[in-house]
Amino acid sequence: MKITHKSIILTGAASGIGKALLNQLIDFEGVRILAVDLDKIENASDKIIPFVCDLSQQSEVDRLFEFAFTQFQAVDIFIANAGFAYYEVIEKSDWQRMEKIFQVNVFSPIYAFQKMKELNIGREYFVLMTSSAMAKVAIPGYALYGATKAALDRFEDAYRFENQDFGHLSLVYPIATKTNFFNRSINFSGREVSVPFPASTPEEVAKAMIKGILNNKTHIYPSRLFQISRFFQKLFEVMAFPYQYFYARKLKEWLR
């Protein structure tokens, strides 16, 4: 999908991958970007419209889209990049703590995708969700975080067999990224969290995301090493296609 002259919503735009992506997106001619975060983003370009929003709440996501349509005629691209992690050992029950991470990392991007689908009937649109390499390979200490990213992965894996419109749904799977993301991971100890090996820069991930949008990629792997290491896992996924296609046909029959 072209990026020039498109209207874009980018969440988690204040830091890390989101900030790097914002800085690269403004190089495209005619773009207008609604840059969303919990903290107001300094407006360094006339292409950027800052917006403060708590994406853990449905009402706030609705408010985001309402505001977007006061600025744009349509939203062409939605990049659901906002998210956070817990680094911990699961030791005690805490429903609210668990609910919070799923609201931001899972409910919000999927709900935003549903909104994009509703609002773009008959026209092309693109939704890009930031997943994680941990959706494919779990790392101890990130059980809940990995579960949220795996949820996005399974959602896309099923939805691609259901898609009947002009939309594109894509997931990006960064390995650990050299940002403050891991040090901001909320944990019980309050100690700093080391960045898992290997790691990419946010600029590398952002570049891969832009390339993925331009080429309508459904799966974006910024790390070539990680992509190669998934050979046998990918082989199993390919072997599952006939099973998935069979139930995709069953779904179409059910809808008749």
Side-chain angles (χ1 to χ4, degrees):
M1 184 172 183
K2 292 181 180 179
I3 296 177
T4 55
H5 299 287
K6 297 298 184 184
S7 299
I8 303 168
I9 296 177
L10 169 62
T11 70
S15 61
I17 294 171
K19 184 177 181 180
L21 184 56
L22 183 63
N23 290 335
Q24 292 183 29
L25 284 172
I26 60 176
D27 290 336
F28 286 85
E29 183 182 352
V31 296
R32 296 193 68 201
I33 306 163
L34 194 55
V36 183
D37 209 281
L38 277 173
D39 300 312
K40 187 174 181 180
I41 297 165
E42 292 299 324
N43 194 354
S45 166
D46 57 5
K47 296 178 180 179
I48 299 172
I49 305 168
F51 189 77
V52 177
C53 182
D54 178 3
L55 295 166
S56 68
Q57 304 298 317
Q58 177 189 338
S59 60
E60 286 287 277
V61 180
D62 288 336
R63 186 172 68 88
L64 167 60
F65 275 95
E66 289 169 5
F67 179 78
F69 279 89
T70 67
Q71 305 296 314
F72 313 139
Q73 290 185 340
V75 179
D76 302 298
I77 301 171
F78 191 104
I79 303 171
N81 173 70
F84 69 93
Y86 294 140
Y87 183 69
E88 62 186 358
V89 175
I90 305 296
E91 293 178 327
K92 64 178 183 177
S93 58
D94 191 334
W95 184 284
Q96 290 183 337
R97 191 169 184 272
M98 183 170 58
E99 185 176 52
K100 185 73 172 179
I101 193 170
F102 272 86
Q103 286 173 330
V104 175
N105 291 14
V106 182
F107 298 169
S108 178
I110 292 178
Y111 182 69
F113 168 72
Q114 293 171 334
K115 297 282 285 186
M116 287 288 289
K117 190 175 178 71
E118 288 177 348
L119 296 168
N120 287 287
I121 295 172
R123 65 186 304 274
E124 187 181 22
Y125 63 94
F126 201 105
V127 176
L128 174 55
M129 300 179 184
T130 300
S131 183
S132 168
M134 292 187 206
K136 304 291 189 181
V137 180
I139 296 179
Y142 294 98
L144 278 176
Y145 174 74
T148 65
K149 297 306 182 179
L152 296 179
D153 181 60
R154 292 301 86 196
F155 176 82
E156 185 281 328
D157 192 39
Y159 174 77
R160 61 184 166 155
F161 293 96
E162 304 173 13
N163 184 25
Q164 301 293 327
D165 64 7
F166 297 101
H168 306 279
L169 174 60
S170 176
L171 265 65
V172 59
Y173 300 85
I175 57 174
T177 310
K178 297 173 183 176
T179 68
N180 289 326
F181 176 83
F182 289 96
N183 283 335
R184 289 198 307 268
S185 297
I186 304 169
N187 58 86
F188 292 126
S189 67
R191 295 190 293 267
E192 288 190 358
V193 179
S194 60
V195 179
F197 174 84
S200 299
T201 66
E203 289 74 22
E204 289 170 340
V205 177
K207 184 178 179 180
M209 293 167 79
I210 287 175
K211 185 178 178 180
I213 295 171
L214 292 171
N215 291 284
N216 288 334
K217 293 287 187 180
T218 55
H219 304 92
I220 302 168
Y221 296 96
S223 168
R224 183 66 60 86
L225 176 63
F226 177 68
Q227 189 172 15
I228 293 171
S229 72
R230 288 192 62 245
F231 174 78
F232 290 105
Q233 190 179 44
K234 183 64 177 177
L235 184 62
F236 173 79
E237 291 171 358
V238 171
M239 290 171 62
F241 280 179
Y243 182 81
Q244 292 175 303
Y245 277 116
F246 174 79
Y247 279 99
R249 289 197 302 270
K250 286 289 187 182
L251 177 63
K252 289 180 181 179
E253 291 172 5
W254 177 76
L255 288 171
R256 288 175 187 165

